[in-house]
Amino acid sequence: MTGLGARAGRRRMRRIEPAALAGVMSRELANFRTFWRATTFSSVLEPTIYLLAFGLGLGATIVDPIDGLDYEEFVGTGMVATAVIFSSALPAMFGTFVKHRFQNTYDAILAAPVDVEELVTAEMLWIGLRAGFYGCFPLLVSFLFGLDPTPAMLLVPIFCFVTALGFAAFGIAMAGTVSKIDQFNYVTTLLVTPLFLVAGTFFPIDRLPEGVQVAANANPLYQLVELVRHTAFGLEPTDILRLLALAAFAFVMWRVAVWRMTTRLID
Amino acid sequence: MSAIELRNVVKTFGAIRAVDGLDLEVPSGICLGLLGPNGAGKSTTMRLLTGQAIADEGELRVLGYELPRESKEARARMGVVPQLDNLDVDVTVEDNLAVFARLYRVRDVAGAVDRALDIARLRERRKDAVDELSGGMRRRLLLARGLVHDPKLVLLDEPTVGLDPQIRTELWSLIDGLRTRGATILMSTHYIEEAERLADEVAVMTHGKVVARGKPSELITRHAGAETAEVYGPPERLAEVRSQVEAAGLRVRPAGPAIAIVGAEKAQDGLVPEGAVRRAASLEDVFVMLTGEEAE
């Protein structure tokens, strides 16, 4: 016997085993190798189009500089959050639902020594890593539009990763809740789109009504936008609280995702 | 030690008792065929054994591990071949196997993949995406994936359902090879021939419980006697024969367009009509008599 049984005897397996996480993530990697070109293409092109449309279009014609920033710089740094939510929440929602409902992938994985908690954690980590990487692309594209690189920007992948963990877990939790794939329309319309729009990406939230400003402050994407802008234009002491808030968001959503998926996957 | 021990296991889904007081013991080293019609509770039993369903009542032990508490430890030592093809279709054959070797914590992943490729007879296709394989190759790969960690116990959930006869025969030879190597196998099926060919013992399951268990030949002798006579004719004639035979204390079952007189060797002279086709009693007779369902 070459498997675990040969070397582990009657060792009690831990609740979350790194080998289980690595196994699930290796499956994601194997699949990703078959479609990375398309993902990378859209990750580069999308922020370029947005920056051309909003930055050069609106910035050059309608919008004045905001808080001393050119509109291209304002949008370019904000677009990081857009890239993060669209490369974490949406793949998590649709990917999880498809793997569960149509591909029966999770039945195969859970028949191996992998529990739902490990499965959800690994999926979150993988999406978090991917979104952490692709979230930086708008920033890189913004360099071509005149944004100056700073050493603090090296923190951006970490900020993106932590935020993406939360949104990945959110997407997984939604996939563990809806009964039909069409119901994601409610999620995107009622949650994802407002979060994306009221994140301070395209316009500053301090010009919104006070109630909306309070709501925007509770939006993890807004906190990410602020963190990214501060890496470009000066970090603040309160940024550590923003990062902790994003970590707390990820933790809470992780537990919700594990709960929803356990309900969905275990009879 | 038994590989699987289930005692009075109950699993309900709302008002439906999918598994209803199931007792099942699978000794190490045998192939047990779990034979039953659709909805008998076979798949739910398989899910209970892999920890994907939690029993409402009863005791479950797999390879000495108590479920669901030690389910993960048990799963590390068992292989599962599912009813539905859930391979990653865009990924290569060898990567499909390597992923599962890692999930099962195999140290020598490359060696395990090579062995599994040999089992599936797919060495030449290792670099091909699963999408490019024929249906038979995919089923062989699915079987090999469940064996990539050389498990002590293998659960085969309807391993040949929906396959054409040629692919089914191919898989039977692979499963037979597995049995010869000494693995314990629990195979759910609703194909009589599959159970007859591969299983050392058969447990007939219906309405969530095992209603008969034994070697196929023992089950046939016990529940169907030695001989079955199939009578063909118009429905009125069959109804007439049926009532005469049943009045004489023999059992009759439907057999497609015919009726089958089970235990026909006990019939008095003249009771079995001229022209009836006499044959040795079969596991199919047992299955239909015990479950009330037509066999496939």
Side-chain angles (χ1 to χ4, degrees), chain A residues 1-17 19-20 22-28 30-35 102-115 118 264-267, chain B residues 11 13 47 50-55 61 63-65 69-73 75-78 80 82 84-91 95 98-100 102-108 112 115 145 148-152:
Chain A
M1 181 158 173
T2 54
L4 178 90
R7 63 180 200 270
R10 284 193 66 89
R11 175 178 78 84
R12 190 78 204 271
M13 295 175 85
R14 281 169 291 174
R15 191 172 127 190
I16 296 184
E17 298 233 324
V24 176
M25 289 169 77
S26 79
R27 181 198 163 274
E28 294 296 331
N31 276 279
F32 183 65
R33 283 205 300 257
T34 68
F35 62 81
F102 302 126
Q103 297 177 339
N104 300 301
T105 305
Y106 293 150
D107 283 349
I109 293 175
L110 294 175
V114 178
D115 285 340
E118 292 168 317
R264 178 55 54 94
L265 294 171
I266 307 294
D267 295 326
Chain B
K11 178 65 188 172
F13 296 98
R47 286 180 70 79
T50 58
Q52 291 176 72
I54 308 294
R61 197 169 272 277
L63 298 169
Y65 294 99
R69 191 171 57 87
E70 297 176 306
S71 164
K72 205 153 124 181
E73 285 81 357
R75 278 178 281 149
R77 292 154 180 83
M78 70 167 111
V80 178
L84 297 171
D85 177 347
N86 52 18
L87 295 161
D88 282 313
V89 293
D90 295 325
V91 172
D95 278 351
V99 163
F100 275 78
R102 290 188 198 100
L103 288 173
Y104 281 101
R105 330 294 204 252
V106 173
R107 270 190 185 160
D108 177 13
R115 277 192 302 279
R145 191 187 70 181
V148 73
H149 57 304
D150 196 10
K152 287 179 173 175

Side-chain angles (χ1 to χ4, degrees), chain A residues 88-141:
Chain A
S88 56
L90 299 189
M93 275 160 51
F94 289 97
T96 302
F97 194 89
V98 167
K99 279 181 267 188
H100 165 52
R101 193 62 70 86
F102 302 126
Q103 297 177 339
N104 300 301
T105 305
Y106 293 150
D107 283 349
I109 293 175
L110 294 175
V114 178
D115 285 340
V116 175
E117 189 172 25
E118 292 168 317
L119 176 64
V120 169
T121 308
E123 295 277 29
M124 278 175 64
L125 285 171
W126 170 253
I127 293 170
L129 286 172
R130 250 181 63 182
F133 178 71
Y134 283 110
C136 298
F137 276 50
L139 210 56
L140 299 175
V141 171

Side-chain angles (χ1 to χ4, degrees), chain A residues 136-195:
Chain A
C136 298
F137 276 50
L139 210 56
L140 299 175
V141 171
S142 296
F143 294 155
L144 304 176
F145 286 78
L147 181 69
D148 292 327
T150 69
M153 284 179 183
L154 293 171
L155 294 170
V156 170
I158 297 169
F159 298 155
C160 291
F161 171 70
V162 175
T163 312
L165 285 180
F167 281 106
F170 163 81
I172 294 168
M174 289 300 112
T177 303
V178 300
S179 54
K180 290 180 179 175
I181 201 162
D182 305 331
Q183 290 171 345
F184 284 138
N185 287 326
Y186 297 116
V187 182
T188 50
T189 307
L190 296 174
L191 291 169
V192 175
T193 304
L195 285 174

Side-chain angles (χ1 to χ4, degrees), chain A residues 193-216:
Chain A
T193 304
L195 285 174
F196 151 66
L197 287 175
V198 192
T201 303
F202 300 110
F203 49 85
I205 67 160
D206 56 12
R207 296 176 196 179
L208 295 171
E210 200 169 330
V212 182
Q213 282 188 45
V214 172

